[in-house]
C-alpha cells in the first residue's frame, strides 16, 4: 500500500463539508447503528458466525463499538489531513488473521448502510448517504489492498492450516501453555516478535469460533498461552484438548512488532498481557541484544503470574535487562521506577490498565506516538491513530 502525506484529498470536494458537518452526530449514533447492523448482517448471513465473527464480542458489544470507532476515526483523520496508515494496518492485520475476503466488504456495506438509513430517518439524505458511502469505500479499498499485501507476503496461500497439539501444560492456575506442530508440509511463516495467530475451534454447539493469541516465541514455533474463561466458548475447549488433537491456526499477523532501533524499550504488562512481551524478550535474547530493556509487570499474585520464570530468565539473559513487579493488588506506577531517557513503551493488559499507564507515560514526558499497545480482540480504544 502506498503511503501519502495527506489523505483529505481522497474525499471529493462535495463529500468533505458533509462529512465534517455530520461526523459528530453520526459518531453519537454509531453504537446503536452498529448493533442494528450486526443484527441485519447475521439475519441475512448466519454463516458468518461460523468461524469468522465472535459471538462473545457480539454479546458484549465490543465488536459494534470497534466498528463505530474505526469508521468515524477514519473519517476524522482524513478531515484533519492525516493519512490513516496506522489505523488501516492495525485493522488489516486483524482481518487477515481471520481470512476476511474482499467480497465481504460489499456485504457489510449493504447491511451497514441499511442500518444507517433506518436509524437516521429523514436525516439520511441522498447527499449524506453518498458522502459516507465515499468514506466507507475509501476505507474498504485501503483495507483490501493492505490485506492483499499481507496475504501475498506469506509463504503459503492458506487462510487456515491444521496443527496438532504437541504439549499442553499449566503455566498458572488459570493459564495453559500450548505448543502445536504442523500436520502436513504446508510452508510455515516466520513470526516476528510480538505477532499473534488466530486459533479456530468448534464451540460446544459445533459452530466454529476464533480467538487471537500472541505467540510466545518468534520464528516457526507455534506456542501460545491460553487463559481460561469459564464462561467463554474457546478457552475451555483449548484447555480440554489433549496432545494429538487438531486445531486450525492462521498465519502470524500483527503490526506491533519489535522495532530495530537501539532506543530503550519499556515493556509494561498486566496479567495475561505478558504474552506479547515474552515474544519480544525471546527475540531480543535470541539476537544477543545489548539494548536496554525494562520489563514492568503487574499481577494479582506471584502464583497467578503466568510464565513468570520464562520472563525472568529472558530478562536475566539480556545484558541490559531489568524486571520490576507490582503484585498482590498493587497498582503499577511509573514513578516507582527510574525510566530510561527517550524510551519506546509497549503495553498490553486490560484496557483500564493501559489507559492509566498511557496517561502516566505522557505525564512523564514520553511522546504519545512512542506509547504503543496490543489489545486482545476488537480494538475499542484506537489510541495510536
Amino acid at each position: 500500500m502506498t503511503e501519502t502525506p495527506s489523505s483529505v484529498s481522497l474525499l471529493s470536494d462535495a463529500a468533505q463539508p458533509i462529512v465534517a458537518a455530520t461526523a459528530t452526530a453520526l459518531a453519537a449514533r454509531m453504537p446503536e447503528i452498529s448493533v442494528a447492523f450486526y443484527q441485519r448482517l447475521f439475519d441475512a448471513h448466519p454463516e458468518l458466525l461460523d468461524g469468522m465473527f465472535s459471538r462473545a464480542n457480539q454479546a458484549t458489544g465490543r465488536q459494534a463499538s470497534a466498528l463505530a470507532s474505526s469508521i468515524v476515526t477514519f473519517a476524522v483523520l482524513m478531515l484533519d489531513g492525516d493519512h490513516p496508515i496506522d489505523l488501516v494496518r492495525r485493522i488489516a492485520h486483524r482481518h487477515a488473521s481471520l481470512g476476511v475476503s474482499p467480497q465481504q466488504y460489499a456485504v457489510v456495506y449493504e447491511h451497514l448502510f441499511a442500518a444507517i438509513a433506518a436509524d437516521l430517518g429523514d436525516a439520511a439524505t441522498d447527499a449524506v448517504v453518498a458522502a459516507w458511502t465515499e468514506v466507507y469505500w475509501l476505507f474498504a479499498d485501503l483495507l483490501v489492498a493492505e490485506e492483499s499485501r499481507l496475504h501475498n507476503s506469506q509463504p503459503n496461500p492458506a487462510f487456515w492450516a491444521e496443527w496438532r497439539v504437541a504439549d499442553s501444560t499449566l503455566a498458572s492456575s488459570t493459564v495453559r501453555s500450548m505448543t502445536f506442530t504442523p500436520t502436513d508440509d504446508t510452508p510455515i511463516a516466520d513470526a516476528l516478535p510480538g505477532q499473534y495467530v488466530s486459533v479456530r475451534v468448534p464451540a460446544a454447539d459445533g459452530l466454529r469460533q476464533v480467538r487471537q493469541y500472541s505467540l510466545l516465541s518468534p520464528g516457526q514455533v507455534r506456542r501460545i498461552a491460553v487463559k481460561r474463561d469459564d464462561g467463554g466458548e474457546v478457552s475451555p475447549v483449548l484447555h480440554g484438548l489433549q496432545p494429538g488433537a487438531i486445531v486450525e491456526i492462521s498465519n502470524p499477523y500483527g503490526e506491533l512488532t519489535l522495532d530495530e532501533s537501539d532506543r530503550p524499550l519499556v515493556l509494561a504488562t498486566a496479567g495475561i498481557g505478558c504474552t506479547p512481551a515474552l515474544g519480544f524478550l525471546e527475540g531480543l535474547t535470541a539476537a544477543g541484544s545489548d539494548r536496554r530493556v525494562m520489563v514492568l509487570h503487574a499481577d494479582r499474585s506471584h502464583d497467578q503470574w503466568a510464565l513468570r520464570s520464562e520472563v525472568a530468565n529472558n530478562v536475566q539473559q539480556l545484558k541490559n535487562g531489568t524486571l520490576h513487579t507490582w503484585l498482590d493488588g498493587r497498582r503499577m506506577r511509573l514513578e516507582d521506577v527510574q525510566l530510561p531517557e527517550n524510551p519506546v513503551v509497549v503495553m498490553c493488559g486490560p484496557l483500564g490498565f493501559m489507559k492509566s499507564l498511557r496517561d502516566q507515560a505522557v505525564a512523564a514526558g514520553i511522546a504519545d506516538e512512542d506509547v504503543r499497545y496490543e489489545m486482545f480482540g476488537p480494538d475499542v480504544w484506537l489510541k495510536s491513530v
Side-chain angles (χ1 to χ4, degrees):
M1 185 168 62
T2 302
E3 293 187 40
T4 60
S6 172
S7 62
V8 67
S9 59
L10 293 175
L11 272 178
S12 68
D13 291 341
Q16 286 182 37
I18 296 173
V19 171
T22 57
T24 300
L26 188 62
R29 295 302 309 157
M30 276 302 287
E32 289 76 15
I33 290 170
S34 297
V35 172
F37 151 68
Y38 280 113
Q39 184 63 56
R40 289 173 177 268
L41 179 68
F42 297 136
D43 284 346
H45 297 277
E47 72 277 4
L48 292 176
L49 282 171
D50 183 17
M52 177 67 67
F53 286 91
S54 163
R55 288 188 291 195
N57 289 333
Q58 295 301 320
T60 61
R62 291 188 70 194
Q63 190 72 57
S65 178
L67 174 70
S69 298
S70 63
I71 292 176
V72 175
T73 299
F74 177 83
V76 171
L77 285 171
M78 288 197 298
L79 292 172
D80 289 344
D82 297 323
H83 196 280
I85 187 66
D86 291 335
L87 174 66
V88 168
R89 283 178 174 163
R90 179 175 287 273
I91 296 175
H93 274 274
R94 191 73 66 183
H95 284 184
S97 79
L98 293 168
V100 173
S101 69
Q103 295 76 18
Q104 288 169 338
Y105 284 93
V107 174
V108 167
Y109 171 79
E110 174 189 352
H111 296 286
L112 176 60
F113 276 73
I116 289 174
D119 185 89
L120 298 184
D122 292 342
T125 65
D126 290 346
V128 168
V129 171
W132 282 96
T133 293
E134 199 172 311
V135 170
Y136 177 86
W137 283 112
L138 284 172
F139 195 14
D141 288 345
L142 288 171
L143 286 169
V144 168
E146 180 67 2
E147 289 156 22
S148 176
R149 185 192 69 79
L150 291 171
H151 284 306
N152 291 338
S153 69
Q154 298 286 2
N156 66 73
F159 284 137
W160 301 97
E162 291 189 339
W163 290 69
R164 181 176 290 108
V165 177
D167 181 70
S168 177
T169 57
L170 280 174
S172 76
S173 60
T174 59
V175 176
R176 278 195 171 272
S177 171
M178 304 185 70
T179 304
F180 304 89
T181 56
T183 61
D184 56 29
D185 58 358
T186 299
I188 301 174
D190 281 318
L192 298 173
Q195 289 194 308
Y196 56 80
V197 291
S198 286
V199 179
R200 187 164 71 175
V201 296
D205 61 358
L207 203 67
R208 294 171 298 175
Q209 290 289 281
V210 184
R211 298 291 184 273
Q212 285 79 39
Y213 294 98
S214 296
L215 290 167
L216 305 182
S217 303
Q220 296 193 350
V221 176
R222 296 294 183 263
R223 189 165 73 97
I224 62 175
V226 181
K227 182 177 181 179
R228 183 184 179 99
D229 174 6
D230 289 330
E233 292 195 285
V234 174
S235 62
V237 173
L238 290 173
H239 271 237
L241 295 180
Q242 299 299 314
I246 303 295
V247 300
E248 293 179 291
I249 299 180
S250 73
N251 284 315
Y253 292 99
E255 46 77 44
L256 180 61
T257 56
L258 187 61
D259 63 66
E260 297 180 356
S261 76
D262 58 359
R263 293 174 59 188
L265 177 64
V266 177
L267 300 174
T269 62
I272 197 62
C274 67
T275 52
L278 182 54
F280 274 61
L281 292 170
E282 291 272 3
L284 290 163
T285 56
S289 175
D290 59 2
R291 185 175 182 178
R292 184 173 180 188
V293 180
M294 177 181 283
V295 179
L296 314 177
H297 184 72
D299 223 310
R300 292 182 178 179
S301 69
H302 187 270
D303 291 340
Q304 292 190 53
W305 177 9
L307 307 165
R308 63 183 183 275
S309 61
E310 293 187 52
V311 171
N313 290 340
N314 274 278
V315 172
Q316 289 176 358
Q317 292 181 57
L318 292 171
K319 299 175 184 178
N320 295 300
T322 56
L323 174 62
H324 306 268
T325 59
W326 289 257
L327 303 174
D328 300 320
R330 293 172 57 220
R331 176 175 172 267
M332 184 182 293
R333 301 188 308 171
L334 294 184
E335 63 186 37
D336 292 342
V337 297
Q338 183 64 48
L339 292 172
E341 291 187 12
N342 193 32
V344 174
V345 178
V346 176
M347 311 178 295
C348 189
L351 181 57
F353 162 81
M354 293 196 295
K355 285 183 174 180
S356 171
L357 204 70
R358 179 262 178 193
D359 290 344
Q360 293 180 56
V362 172
I366 299 172
D368 192 47
E369 61 267 22
D370 290 330
V371 182
R372 306 174 67 199
Y373 71 101
E374 182 62 271
M375 181 173 290
F376 301 140
D379 190 344
V380 295
W381 190 16
L382 297 177
K383 179 215 67 76
S384 66
V385 296

